[in-house]
Amino acid sequence: MEVGFYSGSFDPFTIGHLHVLKQALRVCDKVIVGIGTNSDKKRRFDKDLMKEAIEKVLAHENISNVTVITYEGLTFKAALDNNATLLLRGVRNNGTDYPYEESLAAKNKEYSGLDTIYIRACEYGTVSSSGVMELLKYGMDVSKYLPKDVLEAVMKSKI
Protein backbone atom coordinates (compact mmCIF):
# COMPACT_ATOMS: atom_id res chain seq x y z
CA MET A 1 0.00 0.00 0.00
CA GLU A 2 1.39 3.39 -1.02
CA VAL A 3 0.98 6.12 1.58
CA GLY A 4 1.94 9.57 0.39
CA PHE A 5 2.95 12.42 2.66
CA TYR A 6 2.02 15.81 1.16
CA SER A 7 3.62 18.52 3.25
CA GLY A 8 3.43 22.29 3.16
CA SER A 9 2.56 25.31 5.19
CA PHE A 10 -0.80 25.49 3.36
CA ASP A 11 -1.10 29.07 4.57
CA PRO A 12 -3.72 29.05 3.07
CA PHE A 13 -4.60 25.82 1.24
CA THR A 14 -5.35 26.76 -2.38
CA ILE A 15 -7.08 25.17 -5.35
CA GLY A 16 -3.59 24.35 -6.60
CA HIS A 17 -2.92 22.35 -3.44
CA LEU A 18 -6.25 20.57 -3.89
CA HIS A 19 -5.37 19.74 -7.50
CA VAL A 20 -2.03 18.22 -6.44
CA LEU A 21 -3.75 16.24 -3.70
CA LYS A 22 -6.33 14.81 -6.11
CA GLN A 23 -3.60 13.81 -8.55
CA ALA A 24 -1.64 12.18 -5.72
CA LEU A 25 -4.63 9.99 -4.97
CA ARG A 26 -4.27 8.49 -8.45
CA VAL A 27 -0.96 6.90 -7.38
CA CYS A 28 -1.39 6.55 -3.61
CA ASP A 29 -3.86 4.45 -1.66
CA LYS A 30 -3.81 7.02 1.12
CA VAL A 31 -2.41 10.53 1.51
CA ILE A 32 -1.47 12.36 4.68
CA VAL A 33 -1.58 16.13 4.36
CA GLY A 34 1.03 17.44 6.79
CA ILE A 35 0.71 21.07 7.78
CA GLY A 36 4.20 21.99 8.86
CA THR A 37 5.97 25.04 10.14
CA ASN A 38 8.52 26.79 7.95
CA SER A 39 10.89 28.52 10.39
CA ASP A 40 11.69 31.10 7.69
CA LYS A 41 8.06 32.22 7.38
CA LYS A 42 5.58 33.69 9.82
CA ARG A 43 2.23 31.86 9.71
CA ARG A 44 -0.77 33.93 8.71
CA PHE A 45 -3.35 31.38 9.82
CA ASP A 46 -3.40 29.05 12.79
CA LYS A 47 -2.47 25.51 11.73
CA ASP A 48 -5.50 24.04 13.52
CA LEU A 49 -7.82 26.47 11.71
CA MET A 50 -6.35 25.42 8.37
CA LYS A 51 -6.50 21.72 9.33
CA GLU A 52 -10.20 22.05 10.07
CA ALA A 53 -10.84 23.94 6.81
CA ILE A 54 -8.97 21.32 4.75
CA GLU A 55 -10.94 18.54 6.45
CA LYS A 56 -14.17 20.31 5.44
CA VAL A 57 -12.93 20.59 1.86
CA LEU A 58 -12.19 16.85 1.83
CA ALA A 59 -15.67 16.06 3.18
CA HIS A 60 -17.33 18.26 0.52
CA GLU A 61 -15.19 16.62 -2.19
CA ASN A 62 -16.09 13.13 -0.86
CA ILE A 63 -12.42 12.30 -0.33
CA SER A 64 -12.11 9.79 2.50
CA ASN A 65 -8.60 8.37 2.10
CA VAL A 66 -6.81 11.52 3.25
CA THR A 67 -5.79 12.42 6.78
CA VAL A 68 -4.74 15.94 7.78
CA ILE A 69 -2.17 16.43 10.54
CA THR A 70 -0.07 19.24 11.93
CA TYR A 71 3.57 18.73 12.82
CA GLU A 72 6.75 20.44 13.93
CA GLY A 73 10.24 19.63 12.82
CA LEU A 74 11.58 17.76 9.83
CA THR A 75 9.14 16.62 7.18
CA PHE A 76 10.74 13.25 6.59
CA LYS A 77 10.50 12.45 10.31
CA ALA A 78 6.79 13.30 10.34
CA ALA A 79 6.34 11.17 7.21
CA LEU A 80 8.11 8.19 8.77
CA ASP A 81 6.22 8.64 12.06
CA ASN A 82 2.99 8.39 10.04
CA ASN A 83 4.09 5.32 8.05
CA ALA A 84 4.37 7.15 4.73
CA THR A 85 6.06 5.32 1.86
CA LEU A 86 6.46 8.37 -0.43
CA LEU A 87 6.88 12.12 -0.16
CA LEU A 88 4.65 14.21 -2.44
CA ARG A 89 5.43 17.68 -3.72
CA GLY A 90 3.61 20.03 -6.05
CA VAL A 91 5.66 21.84 -8.68
CA ARG A 92 4.46 25.08 -10.24
CA ASN A 93 5.27 26.40 -13.69
CA ASN A 94 7.57 29.20 -12.55
CA GLY A 95 10.86 27.43 -13.27
CA THR A 96 12.25 27.85 -9.77
CA ASP A 97 10.31 25.12 -7.96
CA TYR A 98 12.06 22.10 -9.46
CA PRO A 99 15.67 22.91 -8.47
CA TYR A 100 14.54 23.79 -4.93
CA GLU A 101 12.37 20.68 -4.64
CA GLU A 102 15.12 18.45 -6.05
CA SER A 103 17.51 19.70 -3.38
CA LEU A 104 14.97 18.87 -0.65
CA ALA A 105 14.21 15.48 -2.18
CA ALA A 106 17.89 14.52 -2.22
CA LYS A 107 18.29 15.38 1.47
CA ASN A 108 15.06 13.62 2.40
CA LYS A 109 16.15 10.48 0.51
CA GLU A 110 19.57 10.55 2.19
CA TYR A 111 18.14 10.76 5.71
CA SER A 112 14.94 8.75 5.38
CA GLY A 113 15.15 6.53 2.31
CA LEU A 114 11.84 7.98 1.11
CA ASP A 115 11.44 8.85 -2.56
CA THR A 116 9.71 12.04 -3.64
CA ILE A 117 7.08 12.21 -6.37
CA TYR A 118 6.55 15.57 -8.06
CA ILE A 119 3.09 16.50 -9.25
CA ARG A 120 2.66 19.35 -11.70
CA ALA A 121 0.25 22.08 -10.70
CA CYS A 122 -0.77 22.37 -14.39
CA GLU A 123 -3.33 25.15 -14.90
CA TYR A 124 -2.94 26.13 -11.25
CA GLY A 125 0.78 26.81 -11.61
CA THR A 126 0.34 30.55 -11.08
CA VAL A 127 -1.65 30.16 -7.86
CA SER A 128 0.37 30.64 -4.68
CA SER A 129 -0.60 31.19 -1.07
CA SER A 130 1.47 34.36 -0.89
CA GLY A 131 -0.12 35.70 -4.09
CA VAL A 132 -3.59 35.02 -2.69
CA MET A 133 -2.65 36.84 0.51
CA GLU A 134 -1.38 39.86 -1.43
CA LEU A 135 -4.70 40.09 -3.26
CA LEU A 136 -6.63 39.73 0.01
CA LYS A 137 -4.56 42.50 1.58
CA TYR A 138 -5.96 44.90 -1.01
CA GLY A 139 -9.54 43.67 -0.73
CA MET A 140 -9.60 41.67 -3.96
CA ASP A 141 -11.89 38.71 -4.56
CA VAL A 142 -9.87 35.49 -4.19
CA SER A 143 -12.76 33.02 -4.34
CA LYS A 144 -11.47 31.46 -7.56
CA TYR A 145 -8.16 30.57 -5.86
CA LEU A 146 -9.39 29.00 -2.61
CA PRO A 147 -11.75 26.12 -1.93
CA LYS A 148 -15.01 27.43 -0.41
CA ASP A 149 -14.34 26.09 3.09
CA VAL A 150 -10.85 27.58 3.16
CA LEU A 151 -12.16 30.93 1.91
CA GLU A 152 -14.73 30.95 4.70
CA ALA A 153 -12.07 30.21 7.33
CA VAL A 154 -9.75 32.88 5.91
CA MET A 155 -12.51 35.50 5.88
CA LYS A 156 -13.56 34.67 9.45
CA SER A 157 -10.02 34.97 10.77
CA LYS A 158 -9.77 38.64 9.66
CA ILE A 159 -6.04 38.72 8.99
Side-chain angles (χ1 to χ4, degrees):
M1 179 161 105
E2 294 293 348
V3 179
F5 192 84
Y6 181 31
S7 66
S9 59
F10 304 115
D11 194 29
F13 185 83
T14 69
I15 58 166
H17 295 129
L18 181 58
H19 168 78
V20 169
L21 176 59
K22 286 179 176 180
Q23 295 305 304
L25 289 168
R26 296 176 70 190
V27 295
C28 295
D29 302 295
K30 177 182 176 183
V31 172
I32 300 159
V33 173
I35 303 172
T37 300
N38 182 336
S39 58
D40 295 332
K41 292 182 184 177
K42 182 180 183 286
R43 281 203 72 82
R44 295 172 284 243
F45 301 104
D46 178 74
K47 287 195 294 188
D48 292 323
L49 171 87
M50 199 50 54
K51 177 182 183 289
E52 183 179 314
I54 295 169
E55 289 170 338
K56 286 180 181 178
V57 170
L58 297 173
H60 284 129
E61 295 279 334
N62 294 314
I63 298 171
S64 60
N65 51 342
V66 175
T67 304
V68 184
I69 66 164
T70 62
Y71 70 96
E72 300 289 330
L74 296 170
T75 295
F76 74 80
K77 284 190 173 190
L80 291 172
D81 288 347
N82 285 278
N83 301 311
T85 58
L86 295 166
L87 297 172
L88 305 167
R89 298 297 293 172
V91 180
R92 289 180 289 203
N93 307 333
N94 63 11
T96 60
D97 278 0
Y98 182 77
Y100 171 76
E101 293 295 343
E102 188 60 19
S103 173
L104 285 180
K107 293 285 187 285
N108 286 330
K109 177 74 172 177
E110 176 184 351
Y111 286 99
S112 70
L114 294 173
D115 284 317
T116 298
I117 293 178
Y118 304 115
I119 300 171
R120 290 181 54 243
C122 297
E123 68 267 26
Y124 304 107
T126 61
V127 179
S128 71
S129 295
S130 56
V132 168
M133 293 311 300
E134 184 72 9
L135 291 169
L136 266 176
K137 179 179 170 181
Y138 292 101
M140 303 303 293
D141 177 16
V142 296
S143 59
K144 65 182 177 182
Y145 302 120
L146 299 176
K148 178 181 154 290
D149 297 295
V150 173
L151 179 63
E152 288 174 6
V154 165
M155 299 313 280
K156 284 180 188 173
S157 68
K158 306 252 190 214
I159 52 152

